[in-house]
Structures are given as structure tokens and as C-alpha cells.
Amino acid sequence: MSKPILNLVPETLGDPEYPAGGRAVRPRDAATLIIVRRDGTQPRVLMGQRAAGHIFMPNMFVFPGGRVDPGDDWVKPSGDLHPAVRARLTAHCSQRRARGLAMAAIRETWEETSLLLGEPHASAPRTRSPVWREFLSGGYTPRLDTLHYIGRAITPPHRNRRFDARFFMAEADLVTGRLPDKPKGSGELIKLSWFNLDQADALELAHITRYMLAEVRRRLDSRVDFAEPGPFVYARRGKIVVDTV
């Protein structure tokens, strides 16, 4: 039997990062990929630090990810989402957007870390997206059937940037490529490294990142399957609400 979702976090609690009031900015869809590496004595996850000049969460350590691009909805993947993952995602969005969210997680991870979750293809799918043409030119097509959907979080309404982010998890042995020696661009993550869960928990993390790290720990400890619900974290009247998704 699996452990309760976010068993250390009550359903709602007050928090200075989530003040009530203020005009709400409409969140943009985003996706994150948590890569778990198990070739050592303890599982490790890949995280990087956002540069000090970022408007959104400067200096914080995060998992690779970013906002959904229009092209993400239209590229045909090699393997589709696991049926249980697709069902959980499409409870709140269309099937095309569910697939696009997963594609965005893989694309953003590749852009930020040079690591690619996919499998070789004989011929690349057609796309008008320049970034997807570059991705596919490497001979791989994204593989969605290996992704676990572990949670969702919406940035509080008073922030200067808001995202409706879905968090996915995949095993590192399904990923190709190597981490770059230095950041790929000024807008990408710096200090990319593999951290065991205790090391990651000691980093400077946003509340949502910490909740998702706790969910990763729960899933690794309990060996849950694709259908297992995860946390849905959002703000209501100045309080954090932890629901399930």
C-alpha cells in the first residue's frame, strides 16, 4: 500500500509566499521533467539553478522544464502516453494538450540539459517548429509512454509570472546525451548536477519544488504505478491548497 500524498503537508496552511488579494495573472501551461538516476547507492535527481537575473524564481534550484510552445501540441511522438497518465491529464485538458504538455517537458529538458528522452526513428516526423526540427534532426523521437505524471502546481496569483505546471518523472537509463560543460545559453539553468534526495532537499527551493521533491521520494519509496494520483498545489485566499490530480 502506498504512502499518503504529501503526508507531511496539511491540506491548507497560511504562507507568506501566498498572500491573499491582488490582481490575478492568467497562468500559462508549462511542464517539468524530473529525471531519476539509480546507478548509485541512493536515487538521484537532476536539478539546476536559475540565474540571478531571472524574473521568475531567481537563484532557485529547479527541475528542467518550461512553458508549452505551440509546436509541442502537433509533433507526433514515437510512443504515446500511458493510458492511466493520459486519463489523469485529460481530466483537466484536451488529449492534444495532454500530449503537448509531455512533449514540452521533454523538449525543455533537452534545451536546458542536452539530455533527450526518446528512441531512434527511421524518418523524422514533419513539423513547422524550428526547435522541433532541430530536436528531431538528432535521430530521436520523444517517447511519452515511459513518463509518470506525478503532480500539478499553479503559481500564486500575485506573481509577475504565472504557470500551470505539470510535473513528469522518468528514469535516467531511458535518456541519451550528456550534460553540457557550461550552460547552453544565458536563459538556461546553471550548476546542473545530480543530487540525492536529501541533498536536493537542502538546496534553495521554492515551496512547489519542495512539494514535488517530497512526492518523488514517496513514489520511489512506495513503487507506485502510472495510475497513482499526485499532488495538485495551488493558492486560495492566501493559503496553499494541496489537492490530488
Side-chain angles (χ1 to χ4, degrees):
M1 183 175 180
S2 62
K3 296 180 179 179
I5 294 173
L6 291 173
N7 56 311
L8 299 180
V9 181
E11 183 180 359
T12 61
L13 57 117
D15 192 286
E17 282 198 18
Y18 291 73
R23 184 175 179 180
V25 177
R26 184 174 181 178
R28 302 187 65 173
D29 280 337
T32 292
L33 180 57
I34 303 169
I35 304 175
V36 179
R37 187 171 174 177
R38 302 182 193 242
D39 57 352
T41 57
Q42 300 180 56
R44 291 177 287 168
V45 293
L46 181 63
M47 302 190 78
Q49 187 179 31
R50 292 178 63 81
H54 278 287
I55 295 175
F56 185 73
M57 297 201 304
N59 298 313
M60 295 288 187
F61 277 84
V62 297
F63 305 109
R67 65 188 182 189
V68 176
D69 183 88
D72 297 331
D73 288 349
W74 297 96
V75 179
K76 186 177 180 180
S78 176
D80 206 347
L81 293 164
H82 186 280
V85 170
R86 184 171 61 247
R88 290 170 54 213
L89 283 167
T90 54
H92 303 282
C93 67
S94 69
Q95 291 203 35
R96 186 183 299 278
R97 178 41 56 110
R99 188 178 296 114
L101 287 161
M103 296 287 280
I106 293 173
R107 174 187 55 76
E108 284 282 343
T109 298
W110 169 72
E111 290 180 355
E112 293 182 337
T113 72
S114 297
L115 300 183
L116 189 155
L117 177 63
E119 59 183 7
H121 58 235
S123 59
R126 294 183 179 181
T127 176
R128 296 180 180 180
S129 167
V131 67
W132 273 111
R133 282 200 297 269
E134 183 181 356
F135 182 106
L136 296 167
S137 69
Y140 286 82
T141 304
R143 185 177 173 184
L144 307 189
D145 59 320
T146 62
L147 290 173
H148 285 256
Y149 176 34
I150 74 162
R152 178 184 179 189
I154 301 179
T155 312
H158 70 285
R159 295 295 180 85
N160 51 14
R161 296 286 189 278
R162 291 192 74 205
F163 297 99
D164 185 350
R166 278 72 162 192
F167 291 75
F168 299 92
M169 186 172 74
E171 298 288 338
D173 58 5
L174 301 174
V175 172
T176 62
R178 60 183 295 271
L179 296 178
D181 295 327
K182 58 182 180 179
K184 296 178 67 177
S186 59
E188 307 300 346
L189 299 178
I190 59 177
K191 298 183 180 179
L192 276 168
S193 189
W194 298 95
F195 300 94
N196 68 43
L197 301 188
D198 290 336
Q199 291 171 334
D201 204 35
L203 298 172
E204 187 175 4
L205 306 178
H207 282 73
I208 285 173
T209 307
R210 199 172 299 281
Y211 295 157
M212 295 303 163
L213 183 64
E215 175 64 5
V216 170
R217 187 188 297 272
R218 183 184 77 90
R219 287 176 177 264
L220 295 179
D221 288 345
S222 305
R223 300 180 183 273
V224 299
D225 61 19
F226 288 96
E228 177 77 7
F232 177 18
V233 185
Y234 58 97
R236 180 194 295 159
R237 300 187 182 93
K239 294 183 181 294
I240 303 171
V241 179
V242 184
D243 206 338
T244 58
V245 67

